[in-house]
Every structure is written in C-alpha cells, then in structure tokens.
C-alpha cells in the first residue's frame, strides 16, 4: 500500500511540475490532450468496465456537450452560462440515451448506442443551420478563471489537471462506494442482484448519468482546447478511439483508461508525423489487443509482474485471476 | 405527379439494395449473435473491387455482371477468411468478436483509401440498361427497375435456400437454438463460415450493383453500416422477412426524408428504429430481443 501511495505521489508531482521539465508548447498541449481524453475514457470506463455496458456512441455525447458550448457562445452568452448549459444538455442527452439503450444489454446495447451515435453525427453533419455542417463552430476565446486567462498552454494545462484530479478522485470514491459495488454486481450477476432486491435498471441508469457527466466535462474541455468543433469529433472513429483507450488500458481499473488515453494520444500524435492516416494502425492495434491481451495493458502487465515476483520469492502459487472482460 | 413517382421508384430501388446488404447482416446476427460491423466495409470493398474489374485490370475489361459476381466471390472469400482466422479464435466471446469486426472495418476503410484514393469512382451503367422505359407520359430508368428485379430474385432465392433446402434447415436450427443444433449433429461452426461468406458476398454484390446509382467513394462504408443496423433493428434479427420489410420502409424514409427534410433526413431515418425499440424491442418480425 505504501508503494502504491508513493507511486501516486510521484505521478502527482510529475504531472504538477510537467511544464517545468518539459519545455515546448507542443508537449504541454499534448499533455493537456492526454488528460482531457483520460477524463473521457474514465467516463466511458464507468460503463464499459464497471457496468459491463459497451457503448459505441459516446463520441456523440462528447460532441453534444462541445457543440452546446460552442453554440451558446455563438449566441453571445458568457462562458459560465455556456458551460453550465452544456453540462445540463450533456447529462440530459445521456439520460435519453440510457432510457433507449438500457432496454437491452450486451450486444443489443452496443447496437443501439452505435445507432444513436450515428444519429448525432448525422445531425451535426446535416443540420447546417444549427451546427454549421462541415464547417463546424469556432470558439474564439477561452474563459478566464479568477482573472487568469486560459489562453496560455500552461494555464490550460493546470486547469485540465485540476479537473482531471477531481474526476479521478470522483471515480475512485464511486468505485469504492456501496453503489459501485452494486454496479459491479449488476455487471456480473444481474439476476442475483435483482433477487437480492436491487433495482438493476436504476443502478445502470445512474451509472450512465455519471458517465455522461464525465463525458460532458471532457467534451467542454475539448472544445476549449481545440477552440473548434466539427462533425468529425462525433464519428464512429472517435467513439472507437475512446473505447480503444479503455480496452487497451484495462477496463474496470482506475489506472487503465488513463494509461490507454496516454497511449492512444501519443501514438496518434507521433504516428501522424510519419504516415498520413492512422486508421489502419488503429484497427490493427484494436484487433491485436482484443486477441492477444484481452484484459488490457494495465491488468496484463500487473499479472506478468506478479507472476515474475512470485517466481522470485517462491510464494504460494495463487493464480492471479483477472476479472473477466465485461 | 412525376416527382412523387420518381421518388417512389428510387425508394424501392434503394430498399432493394438495402435488402441485399441487410439480409446477410441479419443472418450473421441471428446465427452468430454478433453485429458484423465490417458489413459496410464489405459493401464498399465489393463496390471498389467490382469497379476496378469494370474499368479494367491489366488491360482486361470485364462485363459488368461478370465483374459483380467475381467481386462478390472475392469478398465472400475474404469474409470466410476473416471468420476462420480471427473470429474463430474468440469462441463465445461476442464482445471481443464485435470489437474485432470494428477494428477490421477501420483497416478496410484505410486500405480502400490507400488503394483507390479519395476521389469518388463513377461506375457506368451496364450496356443496354442505360435508357428509360415509357408508359404513356411516365418514364422509368431501366437500371433501377433491374435492381428491383434482382433484389426480388435474390429474396426469393434466399427464401428457397432457407426454407426448402437441408442447408437452410440447418441454418434455421442454428439461429433458433445453437446448442441443440450441435447436439443433434449439425456442425454449427461450419455454418458460421458459410453464413459469413454468404453475407459478405451479398453485401459486396449490393455494393457493385449499387455503384452506378450511389457511385463509390471513401466513407461509403460508414454511410451504409448504420442503414443496415437500422433495417435489422426495425425488422428483427435473423428474420428474412424482417430485413425485407425493414429495407423497403427504410428505403422510402431515406429517399423521402432526403427530398422533403434534407437537414433532418438522418434524424427522420432513425425515428422508426427508436419507435420499434420502445414499443417492440424484438423488431417487427424478430423472435428474440437482441
């Protein structure tokens, strides 16, 4: 446990001092991008990892929050009003999503969320009077918090870091709470949970709302980060990318989606310097991870590490049974 | 008057194409319990491969119909290969299988972009079918009527296959109760390969014969996959009649939506799906809730 605390402390200090030892605006921006996508992945992981509900439409929700922010600003409202409205709209959309897609679980849930995500993409693309169509919406300014404008990369990075830390803490509390335990129960044994008197549908619904909140927060950060939003952000590719973050890192772990977000964002940024398109690589990584390391990188590495550690100390060979992928 | 009629013919034509696409999707879903997210890519691959044959490969120019059949066979082989090499490795893990098909669809989309570039390919209407037939003052494009006839023929053929042959009986048994089918000696895993190849081939065939109408462009896969999804959710999975009726309904909604409410066409398209999900989750003709 102390080793774990130490690692956490080191990670925190490293993140907090990042702008001092990592010079260059480009790298700080990449770090902000990783953090904001990590929030997004954490939000999706609540459903994929802890509820066992795989959503392929989350980019649509992410996009709704981003578009809402952009549209409110375009109408001339202030930043705080725009952010507030975007949060409300994001969570409300998730509620509608949940009511429709929670009619089934497993494969049915995937199909319905995929279809809903495609609707949102289609709306963003075709409803030109509202969304600007392919031209998207520009967000000319970033807000100022307590007088500090976020237009500088460092200020934006620290804001993102604080929101990220709060999100991680929220998810950690959520997972350890009785509600989190009940949610994992509905993932593994929905019938038994029902028999025990839990309202399975309601538990899943609340989990969806929590996921929607984190997703909306990430969406708002995203639109302020790029200062631009277009239908591309809502495409199936984006939904798949964030799902890849969760699955590659390790669904149902706290650290997994964060590592996955780092991996995907870095690979995407590095690779885009060498090859024009990254979809082929995205697809290959997807297939490779699903077939070779289905439990994800973090649990997979932990398992290998423990295996090596046990061999060295010759402890009793307790099989480190990984939690089955949802 | 003519406007509505043209719209109707276009709707039925598009419905026919959708049927060719979604029949395979529905069968694969019914049997293997996975939504095959490569289905749009198979459609696009068929269209590109067929278009390449038609334009000419290494100096050979193929007849349109020969090209369509060859492309369908090639994509069917690819589908069988993907099933054998990848999906087969993940038995019983439907989630992993879906994710593999998703990964494959990205690879296919990028592959097509690399091979054929970003410009749309136009496929010329096959010789002799380019004109119009006239009934009094009304005229109908022959090629669109041909597609309707082909779709009807395939529908009847598929129905005969499923309802009248031994293979069809085995597939139906596999759809209804795979475990019991195994127990009575049907090699369900072999059916998986056959059905996957059949579905892939049909999708590719739809892609190439739809070429002269839709043209072939990058992103065609992402346009078609949601439509197949909507048709199958609407009609019910694993039901041939369901995909047929669903395809025609969606064909109408798609074309009329595009013409009357261009900004909300996409939204209107998904409305019947949402209604069905709320009122009859198993779909109009389906037996299982997915």
């Amino acid at each position: 446990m102390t080793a774990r605390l130490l690692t956490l402390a080191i990670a925190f200090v490293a993140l907090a001092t990042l702008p001092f030892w990592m010079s260059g605006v480009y790298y700080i921006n990449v770090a902000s991008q990783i953090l904001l996508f990590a929030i997004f992945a954490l939000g999706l992981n609540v459903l994929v990892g802890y509820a066992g509900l795989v959503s392929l439409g989350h980019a649509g929700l992410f996009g709704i929050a981003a578009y809402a922010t952009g549209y409110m600003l375009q109408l001339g409202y202030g930043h705080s009003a725009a952010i507030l409205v975007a949060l409300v709209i994001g969570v409300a959309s998730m509620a509608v999503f949940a009511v429709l897609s929670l009619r089934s679980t497993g494969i049915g849930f995937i199909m319905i969320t995929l279809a809903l995500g495609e609707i949102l993409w289609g709306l963003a693309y075709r409803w030109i009077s509202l969304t600007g169509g392919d031209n998207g919406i520009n967000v000319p300014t970033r807000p100022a918090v307590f007088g500090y404008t976020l237009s500088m990369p460092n200020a934006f990075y620290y804001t993102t870091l604080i929101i990220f830390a709060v999100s991680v803490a929220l998810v950690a509390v959520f997972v350890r709470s009785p509600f989190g335990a009940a949610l994992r129960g509905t993932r593994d044994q929905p019938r038994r949970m029902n028999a025990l008197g839990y309202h399975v549908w309601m538990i899943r619904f609340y989990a969806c709302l929590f996921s929607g909140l984190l997703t909306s927060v990430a969406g708002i950060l995203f639109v302020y980060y790029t200062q631009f939003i277009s239908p591309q952000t809502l495409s199936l590719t984006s939904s798949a990318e964030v799902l890849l973050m969760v699955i590659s890192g390790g669904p149902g772990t706290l650290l997994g989606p964060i590592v996955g977000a780092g991996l995907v964002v870095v690979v995407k940024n590095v690779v885009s310097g060498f090859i024009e398109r990254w979809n082929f690589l995205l697809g290959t990584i997807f297939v490779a991870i699903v077939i070779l390391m289905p439990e994800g990188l973090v649990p997979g590495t932990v398992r290998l590490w423990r295996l090596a550690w046990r061999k060295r100390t010759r402890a009793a060979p307790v099989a480190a049974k990984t939690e089955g992928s949802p | 008057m003519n406007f509505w009629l043209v719209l109707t013919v276009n709707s039925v034509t598009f419905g026919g194409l959708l049927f060719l696409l979604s029949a395979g999707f529905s069968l694969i879903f019914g049997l293997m319990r996975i939504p095959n997210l490569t289905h749009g890519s198979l459609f696009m691959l068929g269209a590109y491969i067929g278009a390449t044959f038609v334009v000419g490969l290494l100096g050979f120019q193929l007849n349109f119909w020969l090209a369509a059949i060859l492309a369908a066979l090639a994509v069917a082989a690819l589908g069988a290969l993907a099933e054998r090499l990848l999906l087969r490795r993940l038995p019983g893990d439907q989630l992993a299988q879906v994710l593999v098909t998703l990964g494959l669809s990205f690879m296919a989309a990028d592959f097509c972009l690399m091979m054929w570039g970003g410009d749309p390919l136009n496929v010329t209407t096959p010789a002799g079918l380019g004109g119009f037939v006239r009934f009094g003052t009304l005229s109908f494009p022959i090629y669109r009527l041909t597609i309707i006839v082909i779709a009807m023929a395939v529908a009847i053929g598929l129905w005969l296959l499923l309802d009248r042959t031994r293979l069809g009986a085995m597939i139906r048994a596999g759809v209804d109760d795979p475990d019991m089918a195994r127990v009575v000696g049907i090699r369900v895993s072999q059916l998986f390969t056959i059905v996957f190849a059949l579905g892939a081939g049909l999708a590719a065939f739809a892609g190439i014969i739809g070429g002269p109408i839709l043209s072939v462009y990058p992103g065609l896969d992402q346009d078609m996959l949601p439509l197949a999804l909507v048709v199958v959710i609407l009609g019910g999975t694993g039901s041939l009649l369901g995909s047929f009726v669903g395809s025609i309904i969606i064909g109408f909604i798609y074309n009329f939506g595009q013409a009357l409410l261009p900004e909300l066409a996409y939204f209107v398209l998904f409305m019947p799906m949402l209604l069905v999900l709320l009122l009859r989750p198993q779909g109009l003709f389906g037996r299982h809730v997915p």
Side-chain angles (χ1 to χ4, degrees):
Chain A
M1 199 61 212
T2 43
R4 200 171 183 176
L5 276 176
L6 197 70
T7 323
L8 267 179
I10 291 172
F12 181 74
V13 171
L15 283 176
T17 56
L18 185 121
F20 297 101
W21 51 268
M22 204 163 229
S23 51
V25 169
Y26 173 76
Y27 294 105
I28 292 168
N29 277 337
V30 169
S32 305
Q33 214 179 325
I34 291 175
L35 289 181
L36 84 87
F37 275 108
I39 300 173
F40 189 9
L42 280 171
L44 182 60
N45 186 36
V46 169
L47 288 188
V48 174
Y50 298 113
L53 300 165
V54 177
S55 162
L56 266 178
H58 251 55
L61 291 166
F62 182 79
I64 280 191
Y67 265 111
T69 316
Y71 191 65
M72 284 294 284
L73 291 175
Q74 213 175 36
L75 290 180
Y77 288 93
H79 286 291
S80 40
I83 291 172
L84 206 67
V85 167
L87 278 179
V88 170
I89 289 182
V91 176
S93 313
M94 181 75 234
V96 175
F97 253 56
V99 168
L100 290 170
S101 45
L102 280 179
R103 299 185 69 82
S104 59
T105 54
I107 301 299
F109 190 84
I110 298 184
M111 277 171 72
I112 298 170
T113 50
L114 174 63
L116 290 171
E118 292 290 319
I119 297 184
L120 293 179
W121 172 80
L123 279 180
Y125 189 53
R126 306 258 161 84
W127 198 351
I128 295 163
S129 53
L130 186 73
T131 64
D134 235 356
N135 295 326
I137 294 180
N138 278 306
V139 175
T141 57
R142 284 179 181 171
V145 185
F146 304 125
Y148 289 98
T149 173
L150 299 188
S151 49
M152 298 308 288
N154 278 1
F156 192 82
Y157 172 77
Y158 278 116
T159 314
T160 314
L161 181 61
I162 291 169
I163 298 173
F164 168 75
V166 172
S167 307
V168 172
L170 269 179
V171 174
V173 168
F174 171 83
V175 170
R176 281 166 182 73
S177 70
F179 183 80
L183 184 64
R184 271 169 284 151
T186 64
R187 172 191 69 191
D188 298 331
Q189 294 288 349
R191 267 191 207 171
R192 209 174 285 178
M193 288 299 284
N194 200 11
L196 285 172
Y198 286 92
H199 197 322
V200 173
W201 191 91
M202 212 41 136
I203 292 173
R204 286 179 174 151
F205 182 72
Y206 286 140
C208 282
L209 291 188
F210 183 48
S211 169
L213 177 69
L214 289 175
T215 305
S216 308
V217 168
I220 295 166
L221 278 173
F222 176 80
V223 76
Y224 278 124
Y225 171 77
T226 54
Q227 301 192 291
F228 174 68
I229 173 80
S230 74
Q232 185 58 36
T233 310
L234 283 75
S235 66
L236 178 58
T237 316
S238 309
S239 284
E241 269 171 27
V242 66
L243 186 60
L244 179 65
M245 290 174 194
V246 174
I247 289 178
S248 65
T253 60
L254 189 58
L255 195 59
I258 302 170
V259 173
L263 180 83
V264 171
V265 171
V266 166
V267 168
K268 206 174 156 181
N269 273 293
V270 169
V271 160
S272 62
F274 298 101
I275 55 175
E276 216 173 314
R277 295 173 297 266
W278 106 285
N279 269 355
F280 197 86
L281 193 69
L282 174 76
T284 317
I285 299 176
F286 225 113
V287 172
I289 283 188
V290 168
I291 289 185
L292 301 177
M293 215 186 226
E295 78 260 60
L297 291 177
V298 169
T301 322
V302 167
R303 189 189 51 174
L304 291 179
W305 169 261
R306 282 199 183 137
L307 221 63
W309 184 252
R310 288 232 172 78
K311 258 185 200 156
R312 218 163 44 179
T313 57
R314 293 201 188 103
V318 184
K321 214 177 171 234
T322 48
E323 282 181 53
S325 55
Chain B
M1 175 60 205
N2 212 357
F3 169 74
W4 298 107
L5 202 68
V6 168
L7 213 51
T8 307
V9 172
N10 288 355
S11 304
V12 179
T13 310
F14 194 65
L17 283 179
L18 279 181
F19 171 72
L20 295 180
L21 177 71
S22 58
F25 187 88
S26 175
L27 275 181
I28 293 172
F29 192 100
L31 191 66
M32 301 171 69
R33 306 270 188 269
I34 61 164
N36 173 26
L37 299 185
T38 53
H39 225 70
S41 321
L42 295 170
F43 184 91
M44 184 168 73
L45 262 180
Y48 269 122
I49 293 175
T52 312
F53 285 151
V54 171
V55 172
L57 189 70
L58 306 172
F60 285 106
Q61 268 187 332
L62 288 181
N63 170 281
F64 181 84
W65 300 108
L66 195 61
I69 289 170
L70 276 181
L73 288 178
V75 174
L78 272 179
L81 213 62
E83 202 281 324
R84 278 273 156 180
L85 294 182
L86 293 172
L87 299 181
R88 184 59 57 88
R89 285 166 170 269
L90 306 159
D93 192 350
Q94 287 144 348
L95 176 65
Q97 291 179 340
V98 179
L99 296 177
V100 166
T101 63
L102 181 67
L104 285 177
S105 77
F106 288 134
M107 291 161 76
D110 225 28
F111 173 77
C112 287
L113 201 58
M114 265 188 264
M115 285 292 289
W116 288 284
D119 294 328
L121 291 183
N122 286 312
V123 183
T124 44
T125 311
L129 298 174
F132 292 83
V133 261
R134 288 183 196 288
F135 293 109
T137 57
L138 306 169
S139 56
F140 299 97
I142 298 177
Y143 187 66
R144 287 183 185 263
L145 297 180
T146 315
I147 289 184
I148 297 174
V149 172
I150 292 174
M152 291 302 287
V154 172
I156 294 171
L158 272 179
W159 174 72
L160 286 176
L161 172 77
L162 284 177
D163 219 58
R164 291 282 186 272
T165 66
R166 188 179 161 77
L167 178 66
M170 293 199 300
I171 293 175
R172 275 182 291 133
V175 168
D176 277 349
D177 194 336
D179 298 332
M180 198 51 87
R182 271 203 188 89
V183 170
V184 299
I186 297 171
R187 293 179 62 187
V188 176
S189 64
Q190 202 175 46
L191 288 181
F192 282 9
T193 315
I194 293 172
V195 165
F196 210 87
L198 179 70
L202 278 176
F205 186 66
I208 179 63
I209 69 167
I213 300 175
L214 303 170
S215 86
V216 192
Y217 52 92
L220 183 62
D221 53 343
Q222 288 219 29
D223 282 352
M224 296 313 283
L225 175 68
L227 293 176
L229 211 63
V230 176
V231 166
V232 171
I233 293 180
L234 188 65
T237 54
S239 152
L240 200 61
L241 182 63
S243 356
F244 189 78
V245 175
S247 301
I248 300 295
I249 294 177
I250 295 300
F252 269 90
I253 294 177
Y254 186 77
N255 277 288
F256 276 78
Q258 295 275 18
L260 304 176
L261 293 166
E263 287 213 315
L264 295 177
Y266 223 72
F267 186 64
V268 174
L269 187 62
F270 285 90
M271 282 312 284
M273 185 196 81
L274 296 184
L275 275 180
V276 162
L277 279 175
L278 287 174
L279 302 175
R280 200 179 149 80
Q282 69 270 44
L284 294 175
F285 297 94
R287 270 166 295 178
H288 315 283
V289 177

